[in-house]
Amino acid sequence: MFLKLFSLFLIIPLVEIYLLITIGGIIGTLNTILIILITATLGAYLTKSQGFRVLRQIQEATGQGYMPGNELLHGLFVLIGGFALLTPGFLTDAIGFSMLIPQVREIYVGIAKGIIRKKIHQGNFQMRMYTDFR
């Protein structure tokens, strides 16, 4: 797991730097900086609106008396997408925007549910409750 995370935190910044330099050389430094600022601003707005939408769906689900599993996964991907959009770079912006589009986010949620289901069937998934309720 450590090696995977280390690789992820090493490869993504290297790809981002490469893309920033390459695209900056083509469209110019000022245009590249403007694109980064615009995507960060637009990303913050979309994250806020999608976050409130998912929060409303979570409240509706709990109000109807069922566990909002899908809604919580959507919320997780909105949060990850928001962080990705605030990170400067073209690759992270593309990933972040894709996570803020509800129809595309449904694909991410489906993949996450498949991974969770697989871990449960393999016995690699444990749940713990830290509460006094019995």
Side-chain angles (χ1 to χ4, degrees):
M1 182 68 169
F2 173 75
L3 188 59
K4 289 180 183 179
L5 284 175
F6 179 74
S7 298
L8 185 71
F9 285 113
L10 182 68
I11 292 171
I12 290 179
L14 289 175
V15 170
E16 289 289 10
I17 290 170
Y18 172 78
L19 288 173
L20 285 170
I21 291 171
T22 303
I23 294 172
I26 295 170
I27 65 173
T29 305
L30 183 61
N31 289 334
T32 304
I33 292 171
L34 285 174
I35 289 172
I36 290 170
L37 291 175
I38 290 169
T39 56
T41 305
L42 182 61
Y45 171 76
L46 286 173
T47 301
K48 180 181 175 183
S49 67
Q50 287 298 307
F52 280 129
R53 178 179 178 202
V54 169
L55 184 59
R56 219 175 13 261
Q57 291 171 345
I58 290 170
Q59 290 171 340
E60 289 173 7
T62 55
Q64 293 174 1
Y66 70 89
M67 179 65 168
N70 278 344
E71 293 83 359
L72 290 171
L73 285 173
H74 277 274
L76 173 67
F77 285 112
V78 167
L79 181 67
I80 293 170
F83 280 129
L85 282 167
L86 291 175
T87 304
F90 294 106
L91 177 64
T92 53
D93 285 350
I95 293 168
F97 276 121
S98 72
M99 289 184 180
L100 294 181
I101 300 169
Q103 295 82 1
V104 178
R105 190 170 59 239
E106 194 66 47
I107 296 169
Y108 288 111
V109 169
I111 292 169
K113 285 170 35 178
I115 291 169
I116 292 169
R117 215 175 268 121
K118 182 180 174 184
K119 287 189 177 285
I120 288 172
H121 288 301
Q122 291 176 345
N124 297 333
F125 192 82
Q126 298 178 359
M127 289 183 62
R128 294 187 178 101
M129 284 187 58
Y130 297 102
T131 181
D132 291 335
F133 295 109
R134 304 260 173 194

